[in-house]
Amino acid sequence: MNHSKPLHLTISLNDADGNPVPIETIEINGKIFSAEFSDKKESQEEKVIEDAVVVPIVTDAVEDEKSTPKEKDKIGIQEIKPVDSSDEYDTLEKFGGNAFHRMFWGTLKYEALGDNRCKVTYQGEEGIFSPEYIGMWLEPSRVHRSSFEYPERGRNYFPGALTVVYSRVLEVLDDKNLLVDFPYNGGNLESPKVMDKQDGIFFFDNRFAIESWASSIGRKSTLKARAGQVYGVLGMPKIVVPPDSTWNFETLGEGPSAAIHLMWSDAFNGDKYGRGLEQPGSFSETFGENGALFHLPDMGKVDINFEWQFLPSNYSQRVVQFGSPNGLIFSDSSAFSYQYGLKRFRNTDQYRIRKAMEDALGFVRPGTSFSMPNQGYCNGGGIHDERDVKEFCTYRFEGDWYSKDLNNMKARQSGGLRIEWEGESSDQRGRFIELESLKPFRFEGIRLRMLDHQTIELDDPNFSWYHLACQEWTGGTSTSSETVHLIVDGYRVGLNSNGDHWLVHGDEDLSGVSFSARQVKTFDKIPTIGDIISQDLDDFSKNGIIGKKGPNILEIWGWSVQKGDVFTFAGQKFEIIKTNRKWKTWAQFAEQYSSPPSRLKRGDRRVTYTEIELDKPIDDPVSSIELKVEKSALGHLLNGRVIEGCQAVWNFGNDSPGHLMYTDYNVNMVMRNVEIHGMIRSTSRPLWTEISDELSGTIKSFSVGSLGSDSWKKGMSVVLFDPHSGIKEELVLSKSYSGKAERVYVEPKELSGTFPKGSILTCMYSLCSEARFENVFFVNEDLSPCYSERIDYRPQGLRLRQLLTDNDGFRVKIKGGRISWYSNLDNLFEPEVELSNHPHLVNPKSVVPVILNPIFMDKKGARFGFQQKGTKIQELYFPNRVVVRDQFEVDLSNSEIQADLWIEGNGKIILDRFKSLNFEENNQEMAYGFNLTIQERFSKIQKLVLKGKEGSSALNVASKIPIGALEIDLKDWKLQPGIFNAGGFQTQQNKNDPDYKKYIKIES
């Protein structure tokens, strides 16, 4: 133990009834302490925490005689008596907790006093501070510009940013002034200034009280608090949940639910070198090392009913990827989890603090986020009887959930995991919203300077390189090309990727980027007059020309060349007239060598270069070209001056892989009465494998391909299934299966038929059993209607379960709402889609909108597609497509189209009372509508029948389908004008064929 470093003590004593015991003095190591505080000073802001030894006296809130209720209401103080102790439930006060939570909005002044303290002044009419504030923590608004130094130890801060830094109350000077243990500089590093009309929340840190309750041997299953009580926590409390346990969080009385307020505003957990690895020691010293609220066991029944309100932190730095913690509610990290039961979490008042801020100030402070943590991370759950799932592990989230990263729950081992999102009702829908606004991809107005050809230094109060740190640039990925670049004085300056730096400097290199909050090195050098750019196969760092694609097209690597740059070579001048950033693999880079080094023979790593087009050709080979710089577009940047108005850009923008939810195909998913924004992304790891040879007769072992999971154990039942003939056989494993491509051993059994090579081997408990979307509406982040978003979730196990059980209940079910769905026509077990309550089917973003063999159970049809046009609105046009296979009958009766609907395949389409809506422009209906289009794209039409009555739409046969292969029989049908189809009917079939009218019948 380091005896030279002071300890920081918080002591709370309670009597048997849970009431605080007053403490006047305490003796430690022979020294008497009351409200004394050390005057020791430190020069570095991250060490300020070591200045104070605080012994707070924790009492019930007592109203200050000088403060009227009106004044306290104005600053958000509510005097709420804690719940009394009981034999039936616990309270946090019993374990040292204290719902001291005082919010001040626009009424605090911050004035630094020396290097380690700050005076905080209440600017209201009457005094408010009292001795109970001593020892409490303070979350200020952004009143401090932090150092660029990496916060290794001490108080945590985000380097180089205007940021929130936490402090602790040392002394109450009088009822309007107190001292805290951090020198807030008012946003000025060099010359601290006073900031007034600022905010602050004073709170008691209940993290240890929550953890003490959770770990107590005598813990009651229910924790209660009064309505309106808020328990601040400096960092995420860690509740370690044992198997077979119950947890209830209940609120007594009317009013807002009791709440836990997570205090890690602007917290920084970034790796020193931007790699997303180790977090700084200051993070754990300030907030603790934990990142998840509930740490779940890997077995046993766990029921959690969280009806308190979890209040997220107020501020967060907007980072591309690393450095800003998000946190988790539930964590089950076991690869094989057999934990089950209901985990229910209500979130109905997430923006409580935001509303209080806006009510008091009339606006919301810049930089606030109020983003909920991720709902959870897991790899599965549920239990089975060695054949099928018997108890699910269910995570139910009710109300709303606004977050920059909502859910990462996957079912890698079984179909026993169930995720539910539920709103109050069809009229009071919950909102599950990905906060893309908190995911920056462009930082503007940056101030920087070039220190030399490659070193960039920031001079900006709102941006550090930690904001831009990401996997491909500073993290551990070398397989990507350049994903970040700068715009400097109007020119694009690429920052390359690890693939470039590691090629030159070695794997896992840190020196190439030379990363810090304030400075980085670019891979590409800024050329200056006289520099020589040429090929050098002996030294990677000097190899500037790596290819020649044409007489005037060269590949330049390691130099930041720009359009307008001028070179001389062989007595001629050459000017760059066009540039294009491109990438190639190391293996492609190696093609310039006759005998390339072995380390270059990799197709998984990339370098980024600039392809330039010159104004005239160079006939010489690359090995002979030496370009001498005569003019450099970027040369003026090396004058040492600060350059204003620069930008830092993450190339992916908002098209990055997404992230309302990141799940997989084996999860059971239920959404009911909710609005959602963001992509639902999933991995495709189906839990079945294929047999390697034909099987018949009596078997006791056979070869299979890889499963990717070793969850099938001895004694478990597995099913052998031929999806083409439908025959199946249940077998029992005589040995555990490793999940690799090898032999599977089963108890001897005579098969009922022949199973061809490629037949399926699966286990029923590995297959999901429900996918339901009821009254699910796509919205934008601002909650306006959205007509283009994607659910990339293809539960193939659901279809396989349907085939194995002959039960049509195992379908994807879409009931009402505004939602998209697309079928992957290449999947072996693409799930059937059952629709009801006339859903509005919109565009599945970035993929072809296809629905295979949709089933309308209530014959109410659907609305397909969307169109809008106007002078002040974005023009949108989203058609849709229905594919019918295997002579299936699709009943589109009572459907309507709001954009063209394409039909193809082989089967029958029923179109009773099918109609087209009218095209709209500036909210006015036009005299024409949309087309029902028959087109061959994914399949050849051999026998497709369209039959209907009492409908209205334009028709377009857009492919040259043989006469007789397409049959149209429409009665009492109105052929109305459609887009590019003024007559209402177009065809590419031969209308002169004598049999044409035999098959194409349209009666008005």
Side-chain angles (χ1 to χ4, degrees):
M1 182 175 180
N2 185 356
H3 298 285
S4 64
K5 180 179 178 180
L7 299 177
H8 320 292
L9 303 178
T10 299
I11 299 176
S12 175
L13 295 180
N14 301 282
D15 61 22
D17 295 325
N19 299 311
V21 177
I23 302 173
E24 292 186 1
T25 63
I26 187 170
E27 182 175 343
I28 301 175
N29 293 338
K31 185 175 181 179
I32 303 295
F33 291 86
S34 55
E36 295 183 16
F37 302 93
S38 170
D39 290 327
K40 176 184 175 183
K41 298 181 184 292
E42 296 278 356
S43 59
Q44 296 183 13
E45 62 187 12
E46 65 269 28
K47 295 185 179 178
V48 170
I49 191 171
E50 300 178 2
D51 295 348
V53 176
V54 181
V55 185
I57 300 174
V58 182
T59 66
D60 287 347
V62 179
E63 183 157 346
D64 188 348
E65 295 179 0
K66 296 183 180 180
S67 301
T68 66
K70 182 178 180 181
E71 186 77 8
K72 289 192 172 187
D73 290 342
K74 187 185 302 182
I75 61 174
I77 291 180
Q78 300 181 54
E79 304 292 356
I80 302 173
K81 188 178 185 302
V83 176
D84 294 330
S85 299
S86 168
D87 292 335
E88 298 179 357
Y89 55 81
D90 283 332
T91 66
L92 280 183
E93 285 74 13
K94 180 179 177 181
F95 294 87
N98 185 355
F100 186 100
H101 188 271
R102 308 285 192 261
M103 298 184 292
F104 294 76
W105 305 112
T107 55
L108 296 182
K109 180 174 71 174
Y110 292 84
E111 181 181 2
L113 301 177
D115 295 332
N116 60 358
R117 296 188 183 190
C118 181
K119 183 171 74 171
V120 182
T121 300
Y122 175 60
Q123 296 179 293
E125 297 176 1
E126 302 176 15
I128 199 69
F129 295 139
S130 65
E132 66 177 340
Y133 280 75
I134 296 174
M136 298 300 168
W137 287 91
L138 168 62
E139 177 188 287
S141 45
R142 286 180 171 173
V143 296
H144 186 74
R145 170 78 187 282
S146 64
S147 164
F148 281 102
E149 296 296 319
Y150 184 75
E152 295 277 10
R153 304 301 300 272
R155 199 66 51 83
N156 184 255
Y157 59 86
F158 198 103
L162 187 65
T163 185
V164 170
V165 182
Y166 289 88
S167 61
R168 207 163 188 188
V169 177
L170 300 173
E171 181 181 355
V172 175
L173 301 176
D174 54 45
D175 58 8
K176 280 197 170 185
N177 297 278
L178 51 75
L179 293 180
V180 296
D181 67 349
F182 192 86
Y184 299 110
N185 59 27
N188 193 311
L189 273 172
E190 289 74 27
S191 180
K193 62 180 182 179
V194 176
M195 289 190 76
D196 62 359
K197 297 181 181 180
Q198 294 298 311
D199 312 330
I201 299 178
F202 294 91
F203 65 97
F204 179 83
D205 178 15
N206 290 276
R207 180 158 52 96
F208 300 108
I210 293 173
E211 292 175 354
S212 295
W213 165 73
S215 60
S216 171
I217 297 177
R219 178 190 68 86
K220 308 291 193 306
S221 63
T222 300
L223 184 68
K224 290 190 177 184
R226 290 196 189 280
Q229 285 189 300
V230 179
Y231 295 92
V233 287
L234 190 66
M236 185 73 80
K238 185 176 184 178
I239 298 177
V240 180
V241 178
D244 301 313
S245 60
T246 301
W247 306 70
N248 296 302
F249 294 75
E250 298 180 1
T251 299
L252 288 178
E254 299 295 324
S257 299
I260 293 173
H261 189 185
L262 177 61
M263 300 293 193
W264 63 16
S265 284
D266 283 343
F268 175 70
N269 66 346
D271 175 84
K272 185 173 184 177
Y273 303 102
R275 297 170 299 173
L277 300 178
E278 307 89 1
Q279 62 189 23
S282 66
F283 182 86
S284 57
E285 289 183 23
T286 305
F287 303 109
E289 297 181 354
N290 179 52
L293 181 60
F294 293 102
H295 291 255
L296 302 173
D298 61 1
M299 64 175 62
K301 185 176 183 180
V302 173
D303 287 325
I304 297 174
N305 185 33
F306 191 90
E307 291 194 335
W308 286 15
Q309 179 61 49
F310 188 96
L311 298 173
S313 43
N314 298 348
Y315 291 84
S316 66
Q317 295 288 326
R318 285 158 171 77
V319 299
V320 166
Q321 187 173 6
F322 302 137
S324 181
N326 197 46
L328 298 168
I329 296 299
F330 297 107
S331 176
D332 180 357
S333 58
S334 172
F336 295 95
S337 180
Y338 300 101
Q339 174 255 130
Y340 66 101
L342 174 62
K343 272 61 67 179
R344 175 176 175 265
F345 200 100
R346 282 183 61 82
N347 177 44
T348 58
D349 198 12
Q350 172 179 343
Y351 286 129
R352 184 188 302 183
I353 305 298
R354 176 186 173 131
K355 185 177 185 301
M357 176 188 288
E358 190 168 17
D359 288 347
L361 299 176
F363 62 91
V364 177
R365 297 276 187 193
T368 53
S369 59
F370 308 104
S371 172
M372 284 292 283
N374 189 289
Q375 292 174 346
Y377 173 85
C378 65
N379 289 309
I383 58 174
H384 59 85
D385 60 359
E386 296 190 333
R387 184 181 183 277
D388 206 348
V389 176
K390 289 303 175 185
E391 296 282 355
F392 287 96
C393 176
T394 301
Y395 296 90
R396 180 182 300 156
F397 300 94
E398 299 178 6
D400 304 320
W401 209 280
Y402 295 80
S403 176
K404 60 184 178 182
D405 184 18
L406 261 79
N407 186 293
N408 284 75
M409 293 181 171
K410 300 183 180 181
R412 298 186 182 277
Q413 308 297 338
S414 78
L417 176 66
R418 185 181 174 93
I419 301 173
E420 299 179 1
W421 287 358
E422 292 205 3
E424 191 71 25
S425 67
S426 58
D427 297 324
Q428 292 180 280
R429 297 191 289 266
R431 290 162 175 169
F432 291 74
I433 308 297
E434 177 192 4
L435 295 176
E436 291 181 310
S437 60
L438 300 182
K439 298 178 174 182
F441 63 92
R442 184 180 298 272
F443 302 89
E444 299 181 326
I446 297 171
R447 294 164 45 92
L448 55 81
R449 64 167 61 88
M450 297 296 306
L451 299 185
D452 55 40
H453 292 247
Q454 291 177 278
T455 307
I456 305 177
E457 181 179 81
L458 291 172
D459 184 18
D460 193 276
N462 301 309
F463 177 75
S464 78
W465 294 118
Y466 285 110
H467 289 92
L468 193 62
C470 60
Q471 182 72 13
E472 299 83 7
W473 178 41
T474 55
T477 295
S478 64
T479 57
S480 174
S481 55
E482 180 176 272
T483 61
V484 289
H485 69 272
L486 305 177
I487 303 294
V488 182
D489 205 18
Y491 293 95
R492 174 174 173 146
V493 177
L495 294 179
N496 293 73
S497 73
N498 279 327
D500 300 277
H501 291 285
W502 293 2
L503 179 57
V504 173
H505 302 287
D507 289 1
E508 308 297 330
D509 166 68
L510 297 174
S511 63
V513 179
S514 191
F515 183 90
S516 70
R518 192 170 194 177
Q519 292 184 5
V520 295
K521 282 188 176 181
T522 63
F523 182 80
D524 289 354
K525 300 177 285 293
I526 290 181
T528 56
I529 296 174
D531 285 337
I532 302 295
I533 302 177
S534 63
Q535 185 184 63
D536 188 335
L537 299 182
D538 295 324
D539 188 342
F540 289 142
S541 66
K542 297 178 182 178
N543 194 3
I545 305 178
I546 61 173
K548 185 179 180 184
K549 291 298 182 182
N552 64 331
I553 298 177
L554 302 177
E555 296 172 342
I556 306 298
W557 186 53
W559 293 90
S560 189
V561 290
Q562 303 288 333
K563 180 180 178 181
D565 285 357
V566 177
F567 310 99
T568 59
F569 170 63
Q572 295 189 72
K573 283 190 176 182
F574 300 86
E575 181 178 347
I576 299 178
I577 60 174
K578 185 179 179 181
T579 64
N580 191 12
R581 292 291 275 182
K582 292 188 173 184
W583 62 266
K584 61 174 60 179
T585 65
W586 283 17
Q588 291 170 324
F589 178 91
E591 291 174 1
Q592 59 188 309
Y593 294 85
S594 57
S595 298
S598 59
R599 65 185 292 257
L600 294 187
K601 297 176 182 179
R602 298 189 60 159
D604 61 335
R605 291 190 173 182
R606 300 179 182 180
V607 298
T608 303
Y609 62 93
T610 304
E611 182 182 89
I612 66 171
E613 182 177 343
L614 300 173
D615 61 347
K616 59 177 68 75
I618 298 177
D619 296 328
D620 300 69
V622 171
S623 58
S624 301
I625 299 174
E626 292 187 351
L627 300 179
K628 184 177 181 180
V629 179
E630 291 291 325
K631 177 185 174 183
S632 171
L634 299 182
H636 68 285
L637 303 181
L638 298 175
N639 58 17
R641 295 179 183 175
V642 172
I643 307 153
E644 307 274 357
C646 302
Q647 299 179 33
V649 183
W650 187 47
N651 299 350
F652 289 134
N654 280 340
D655 293 327
S656 59
H659 298 104
L660 175 67
M661 178 187 289
Y662 193 8
T663 184
D664 67 26
Y665 289 2
N666 306 312
V667 168
N668 298 281
M669 190 179 301
V670 176
M671 296 186 183
R672 183 170 178 265
N673 299 324
V674 295
E675 297 174 355
I676 64 175
H677 171 69
M679 174 182 170
I680 295 177
R681 182 186 180 202
S682 58
T683 54
S684 55
R685 287 182 53 176
L687 291 176
W688 69 79
T689 185
E690 297 181 356
I691 64 174
S692 304
D693 302 292
E694 180 182 289
L695 297 178
S696 62
T698 301
I699 61 167
K700 58 182 178 180
S701 72
F702 50 91
S703 296
V704 297
S706 174
L707 176 69
S709 169
D710 58 350
S711 57
W712 297 352
K713 305 299 181 183
K714 178 181 178 180
M716 290 179 57
S717 293
V718 292
V719 181
L720 186 61
F721 175 60
D722 176 17
H724 303 290
S725 67
I727 63 170
K728 55 195 173 188
E729 196 81 52
E730 190 162 331
L731 308 170
V732 177
L733 293 175
S734 60
K735 291 184 180 180
S736 296
Y737 168 51
S738 72
K740 300 177 182 179
E742 62 180 25
R743 294 194 72 79
V744 169
Y745 293 87
V746 298
E747 294 179 3
K749 187 171 186 180
E750 184 174 354
L751 299 178
S752 58
T754 298
F755 290 82
K757 177 182 177 180
S759 294
I760 297 300
L761 184 70
T762 190
C763 178
M764 292 298 296
Y765 104 92
S766 295
L767 309 176
C768 60
S769 55
E770 185 169 16
R772 177 161 50 96
F773 302 88
E774 183 175 348
N775 293 324
V776 176
F777 289 80
F778 286 164
V779 295
N780 296 307
E781 186 174 335
D782 63 3
L783 305 182
S784 62
C786 176
Y787 301 96
S788 180
E789 197 51 83
R790 183 155 115 231
I791 298 177
D792 188 15
Y793 163 67
R794 320 254 66 75
Q796 294 189 66
L798 194 64
R799 172 62 173 163
L800 184 50
R801 179 178 285 273
Q802 177 188 4
L803 294 172
L804 291 174
T805 61
D806 298 317
N807 185 344
D808 289 340
F810 297 119
R811 291 171 172 154
V812 173
K813 297 180 181 180
I814 296 176
K815 298 183 178 181
R818 182 176 58 246
I819 192 171
S820 73
W821 190 265
Y822 79 97
S823 302
N824 186 332
L825 302 181
D826 295 326
N827 281 343
L828 180 60
F829 298 111
E830 184 64 19
E832 291 187 345
V833 184
E834 181 182 299
L835 304 102
S836 59
N837 295 350
H838 201 75
H840 187 178
L841 299 174
V842 293
N843 183 56
K845 191 174 183 180
S846 302
V847 294
V848 177
V850 175
I851 299 183
L852 174 65
N853 292 350
I855 301 157
F856 292 88
M857 296 298 293
D858 56 3
K859 299 186 182 297
K860 292 182 179 180
R863 175 179 291 192
F864 289 90
F866 180 74
Q867 171 272 325
Q868 72 176 20
K869 184 178 181 181
T871 55
K872 295 183 178 180
I873 58 175
Q874 180 184 8
E875 184 171 358
L876 300 175
Y877 190 79
F878 299 132
N880 225 308
R881 181 180 296 266
V882 170
V883 175
V884 57
R885 272 184 181 172
D886 304 323
Q887 293 305 310
F888 201 83
E889 182 176 302
V890 174
D891 191 344
L892 296 182
S893 297
N894 299 303
S895 293
E896 54 194 6
I897 55 176
Q898 202 173 354
D900 285 0
L901 176 64
W902 298 326
I903 301 288
E904 69 171 289
N906 293 280
K908 187 174 184 180
I909 307 287
I910 306 297
L911 295 166
D912 293 349
R913 295 168 299 281
F914 179 96
K915 71 176 181 179
S916 167
L917 302 179
N918 285 351
F919 191 96
E920 289 190 5
E921 186 168 352
N922 291 317
N923 296 319
Q924 297 293 319
E925 288 191 1
M926 301 292 102
Y928 55 91
F930 307 99
N931 296 284
L932 179 63
T933 300
I934 298 92
Q935 181 193 53
E936 294 178 325
R937 178 170 179 177
F938 296 106
S939 55
K940 200 75 175 173
I941 294 177
Q942 296 173 326
K943 189 62 177 178
L944 177 62
V945 177
L946 274 62
K947 189 171 184 178
K949 60 185 178 181
E950 301 173 4
S952 61
S953 76
L955 266 71
N956 178 17
V957 181
S959 298
K960 295 180 179 180
I961 303 168
I963 301 299
L966 172 65
E967 183 177 340
I968 299 177
D969 185 7
L970 302 176
K971 292 181 172 62
D972 193 14
W973 194 275
K974 180 182 178 182
L975 286 173
Q976 68 180 72
I979 297 176
F980 306 116
N981 188 359
F985 182 78
Q986 293 177 351
T987 183
Q988 290 194 31
Q989 286 188 301
N990 181 10
K991 297 174 69 175
N992 296 321
D993 189 289
D995 291 330
Y996 175 78
K997 292 184 178 180
K998 176 181 177 182
Y999 295 101
I1000 307 299
K1001 302 174 183 177
I1002 304 173
E1003 300 176 5
S1004 60

